[in-house]
Amino acid sequence: MTGSETKAAVEWLTSVAPEPAACRWEWERNPQGIVLLPAGRRWDVLILPGELGYPTLDILTRLIDRPGPVLADFGESRMGFFVPPGTASRWIGTGIRGCGRGTWIVIPYPGRAGGEVRWLVPPDGSGTLTDAGLLELAMHEAAGAAAGDARGERPEG
């Protein structure tokens, strides 16, 4: 990320904080490089298990130039896709956690790994989010491909 992209991303992310200037100041100086930010104002986050999230992201990046921001934990077990506000309250899906109004998300400083989370697709500051319908289609395709692979591995009998 360039310096101006990082600055725009920081401004966009911290705009949801109760005190954006204080949040920005602390975040830039925090040795872990993370802050907690509330979901539900500018974005919700859908958290997928890593085994579904990674193939879903691969499909998304084939369909569109740039999806919205995507976080991953360092254990590769979970991925968080930033989607429009209100998505989490309407989402129905087994194994998918929706984080919307009333929840807080651990966010690393853009362009830096922080603690246990990192950006796979960092925010660009423009407010770009992943369309929930497109994310759902990509998830179905990824799950279908995984099911097909599993069926192909079973011995015939």
Side-chain angles (χ1 to χ4, degrees), residues 109-137:
Y109 193 87
R112 276 192 246 161
E116 297 294 317
V117 294
R118 63 192 167 97
W119 291 107
L120 295 177
V121 179
D124 61 7
S126 71
T128 299
L129 300 169
T130 297
D131 175 84
L134 189 58
L135 177 61
E136 183 177 15
L137 289 173

Short mmCIF file of all heavy atoms in Angstrom, two decimals, residues 109-137:
data_model
loop_
_atom_site.label_atom_id
_atom_site.label_comp_id
_atom_site.label_asym_id
_atom_site.label_seq_id
_atom_site.Cartn_x
_atom_site.Cartn_y
_atom_site.Cartn_z
N TYR A 109 -3.51 -2.59 11.75
CA TYR A 109 -3.20 -1.37 11.02
C TYR A 109 -3.01 -1.75 9.55
O TYR A 109 -2.35 -2.73 9.24
CB TYR A 109 -1.92 -0.75 11.59
CG TYR A 109 -1.66 0.65 11.13
CD1 TYR A 109 -2.20 1.73 11.81
CD2 TYR A 109 -0.86 0.90 10.02
CE1 TYR A 109 -1.96 3.03 11.40
CE2 TYR A 109 -0.61 2.20 9.60
CZ TYR A 109 -1.18 3.26 10.28
OH TYR A 109 -0.93 4.54 9.87
N PRO A 110 -3.61 -1.01 8.60
CA PRO A 110 -3.44 -1.36 7.19
C PRO A 110 -1.96 -1.37 6.78
O PRO A 110 -1.19 -0.48 7.12
CB PRO A 110 -4.18 -0.23 6.46
CG PRO A 110 -5.18 0.24 7.46
CD PRO A 110 -4.49 0.13 8.79
N GLY A 111 -1.59 -2.43 6.08
CA GLY A 111 -0.22 -2.56 5.62
C GLY A 111 0.70 -3.23 6.62
O GLY A 111 1.87 -3.46 6.33
N ARG A 112 0.19 -3.56 7.80
CA ARG A 112 0.99 -4.23 8.83
C ARG A 112 0.24 -5.46 9.34
O ARG A 112 -0.97 -5.44 9.45
CB ARG A 112 1.15 -3.33 10.06
CG ARG A 112 2.22 -2.34 10.00
CD ARG A 112 2.41 -1.77 11.39
NE ARG A 112 2.06 -0.36 11.38
CZ ARG A 112 1.77 0.34 12.44
NH1 ARG A 112 1.75 -0.21 13.64
NH2 ARG A 112 1.49 1.62 12.35
N ALA A 113 0.98 -6.50 9.67
CA ALA A 113 0.39 -7.62 10.37
C ALA A 113 0.29 -7.22 11.83
O ALA A 113 1.15 -6.53 12.35
CB ALA A 113 1.26 -8.86 10.22
N GLY A 114 -0.78 -7.63 12.49
CA GLY A 114 -0.93 -7.24 13.87
C GLY A 114 -1.44 -8.37 14.72
O GLY A 114 -2.52 -8.88 14.49
N GLY A 115 -0.65 -8.76 15.70
CA GLY A 115 -1.10 -9.81 16.60
C GLY A 115 -1.46 -11.08 15.86
O GLY A 115 -0.65 -11.65 15.14
N GLU A 116 -2.69 -11.46 15.99
CA GLU A 116 -3.15 -12.71 15.41
C GLU A 116 -3.94 -12.54 14.12
O GLU A 116 -4.50 -13.50 13.62
CB GLU A 116 -4.01 -13.46 16.43
CG GLU A 116 -3.26 -13.87 17.68
CD GLU A 116 -2.18 -14.91 17.39
OE1 GLU A 116 -2.45 -15.85 16.63
OE2 GLU A 116 -1.09 -14.76 17.94
N VAL A 117 -4.04 -11.30 13.62
CA VAL A 117 -4.81 -11.08 12.39
C VAL A 117 -3.97 -10.32 11.36
O VAL A 117 -3.03 -9.61 11.73
CB VAL A 117 -6.12 -10.30 12.65
CG1 VAL A 117 -7.08 -11.13 13.49
CG2 VAL A 117 -5.85 -8.96 13.31
N ARG A 118 -4.35 -10.49 10.10
CA ARG A 118 -3.65 -9.80 9.02
C ARG A 118 -4.64 -9.53 7.90
O ARG A 118 -5.69 -10.18 7.81
CB ARG A 118 -2.49 -10.63 8.51
CG ARG A 118 -2.92 -11.96 7.91
CD ARG A 118 -1.73 -12.89 7.67
NE ARG A 118 -2.18 -14.22 7.40
CZ ARG A 118 -2.34 -14.75 6.19
NH1 ARG A 118 -2.06 -14.04 5.13
NH2 ARG A 118 -2.75 -15.98 6.03
N TRP A 119 -4.29 -8.57 7.07
CA TRP A 119 -5.11 -8.25 5.91
C TRP A 119 -4.74 -9.16 4.74
O TRP A 119 -3.57 -9.26 4.40
CB TRP A 119 -4.91 -6.80 5.48
CG TRP A 119 -5.45 -5.79 6.44
CD1 TRP A 119 -4.73 -4.99 7.26
CD2 TRP A 119 -6.82 -5.50 6.67
NE1 TRP A 119 -5.58 -4.21 8.00
CE2 TRP A 119 -6.87 -4.50 7.66
CE3 TRP A 119 -8.03 -5.98 6.14
CZ2 TRP A 119 -8.08 -3.97 8.13
CZ3 TRP A 119 -9.22 -5.46 6.61
CH2 TRP A 119 -9.24 -4.47 7.58
N LEU A 120 -5.71 -9.79 4.14
CA LEU A 120 -5.51 -10.48 2.86
C LEU A 120 -5.84 -9.50 1.73
O LEU A 120 -5.17 -9.48 0.71
CB LEU A 120 -6.40 -11.72 2.74
CG LEU A 120 -6.11 -12.84 3.71
CD1 LEU A 120 -7.11 -13.97 3.54
CD2 LEU A 120 -4.69 -13.35 3.55
N VAL A 121 -6.89 -8.72 1.94
CA VAL A 121 -7.24 -7.62 1.04
C VAL A 121 -7.41 -6.40 1.95
O VAL A 121 -8.40 -6.31 2.67
CB VAL A 121 -8.55 -7.89 0.26
CG1 VAL A 121 -8.89 -6.70 -0.65
CG2 VAL A 121 -8.46 -9.18 -0.54
N PRO A 122 -6.44 -5.51 1.96
CA PRO A 122 -6.56 -4.36 2.85
C PRO A 122 -7.58 -3.36 2.33
O PRO A 122 -7.83 -3.31 1.12
CB PRO A 122 -5.15 -3.75 2.84
CG PRO A 122 -4.54 -4.21 1.57
CD PRO A 122 -5.19 -5.53 1.23
N PRO A 123 -8.17 -2.58 3.23
CA PRO A 123 -9.09 -1.54 2.75
C PRO A 123 -8.30 -0.49 1.98
O PRO A 123 -7.13 -0.25 2.26
CB PRO A 123 -9.67 -0.97 4.04
CG PRO A 123 -8.65 -1.27 5.08
CD PRO A 123 -7.98 -2.55 4.67
N ASP A 124 -8.95 0.13 0.99
CA ASP A 124 -8.27 1.16 0.21
C ASP A 124 -8.73 2.56 0.60
O ASP A 124 -8.26 3.54 0.04
CB ASP A 124 -8.47 0.92 -1.29
CG ASP A 124 -9.93 0.96 -1.71
OD1 ASP A 124 -10.81 1.31 -0.89
OD2 ASP A 124 -10.20 0.64 -2.88
N GLY A 125 -9.66 2.63 1.55
CA GLY A 125 -10.14 3.92 2.01
C GLY A 125 -11.33 4.45 1.24
O GLY A 125 -11.94 5.44 1.63
N SER A 126 -11.70 3.78 0.16
CA SER A 126 -12.82 4.25 -0.67
C SER A 126 -14.17 3.80 -0.13
O SER A 126 -15.20 4.28 -0.59
CB SER A 126 -12.65 3.74 -2.10
OG SER A 126 -12.87 2.34 -2.15
N GLY A 127 -14.16 2.84 0.79
CA GLY A 127 -15.41 2.30 1.30
C GLY A 127 -15.90 1.09 0.53
O GLY A 127 -17.02 0.62 0.76
N THR A 128 -15.08 0.57 -0.38
CA THR A 128 -15.46 -0.62 -1.14
C THR A 128 -15.72 -1.79 -0.20
O THR A 128 -14.90 -2.09 0.68
CB THR A 128 -14.35 -1.01 -2.13
OG1 THR A 128 -14.15 0.06 -3.03
CG2 THR A 128 -14.71 -2.28 -2.90
N LEU A 129 -16.87 -2.43 -0.37
CA LEU A 129 -17.24 -3.61 0.41
C LEU A 129 -17.59 -4.72 -0.56
O LEU A 129 -17.90 -4.47 -1.73
CB LEU A 129 -18.45 -3.30 1.31
CG LEU A 129 -18.25 -2.18 2.32
CD1 LEU A 129 -19.58 -1.78 2.95
CD2 LEU A 129 -17.26 -2.60 3.39
N THR A 130 -17.57 -5.94 -0.07
CA THR A 130 -17.96 -7.08 -0.91
C THR A 130 -19.48 -7.18 -0.91
O THR A 130 -20.11 -7.17 0.15
CB THR A 130 -17.35 -8.39 -0.38
OG1 THR A 130 -15.92 -8.27 -0.46
CG2 THR A 130 -17.79 -9.58 -1.19
N ASP A 131 -20.06 -7.26 -2.08
CA ASP A 131 -21.49 -7.44 -2.22
C ASP A 131 -21.87 -8.79 -1.60
O ASP A 131 -21.28 -9.82 -1.94
CB ASP A 131 -21.87 -7.39 -3.71
CG ASP A 131 -23.32 -7.68 -3.94
OD1 ASP A 131 -24.13 -6.75 -3.83
OD2 ASP A 131 -23.65 -8.86 -4.23
N ALA A 132 -22.85 -8.78 -0.71
CA ALA A 132 -23.23 -10.00 0.01
C ALA A 132 -23.77 -11.08 -0.93
O ALA A 132 -23.50 -12.27 -0.73
CB ALA A 132 -24.26 -9.68 1.09
N GLY A 133 -24.52 -10.69 -1.94
CA GLY A 133 -25.04 -11.67 -2.90
C GLY A 133 -23.92 -12.34 -3.68
O GLY A 133 -23.94 -13.56 -3.89
N LEU A 134 -22.95 -11.55 -4.10
CA LEU A 134 -21.80 -12.10 -4.83
C LEU A 134 -20.97 -12.99 -3.92
O LEU A 134 -20.51 -14.06 -4.34
CB LEU A 134 -20.96 -10.95 -5.38
CG LEU A 134 -19.85 -11.32 -6.35
CD1 LEU A 134 -20.39 -12.07 -7.56
CD2 LEU A 134 -19.11 -10.07 -6.78
N LEU A 135 -20.82 -12.58 -2.66
CA LEU A 135 -20.10 -13.42 -1.70
C LEU A 135 -20.81 -14.75 -1.52
O LEU A 135 -20.19 -15.81 -1.51
CB LEU A 135 -19.96 -12.70 -0.36
CG LEU A 135 -19.29 -13.47 0.76
CD1 LEU A 135 -17.85 -13.87 0.41
CD2 LEU A 135 -19.32 -12.66 2.06
N GLU A 136 -22.13 -14.71 -1.41
CA GLU A 136 -22.89 -15.95 -1.25
C GLU A 136 -22.72 -16.87 -2.45
O GLU A 136 -22.52 -18.08 -2.29
CB GLU A 136 -24.37 -15.63 -1.03
CG GLU A 136 -25.20 -16.88 -0.78
CD GLU A 136 -26.66 -16.57 -0.48
OE1 GLU A 136 -27.11 -15.44 -0.73
OE2 GLU A 136 -27.33 -17.50 0.01
N LEU A 137 -22.78 -16.31 -3.66
CA LEU A 137 -22.57 -17.13 -4.86
C LEU A 137 -21.18 -17.75 -4.88
O LEU A 137 -21.03 -18.93 -5.21
CB LEU A 137 -22.79 -16.28 -6.11
CG LEU A 137 -24.22 -15.87 -6.41
CD1 LEU A 137 -24.27 -14.89 -7.58
CD2 LEU A 137 -25.10 -17.08 -6.67
#
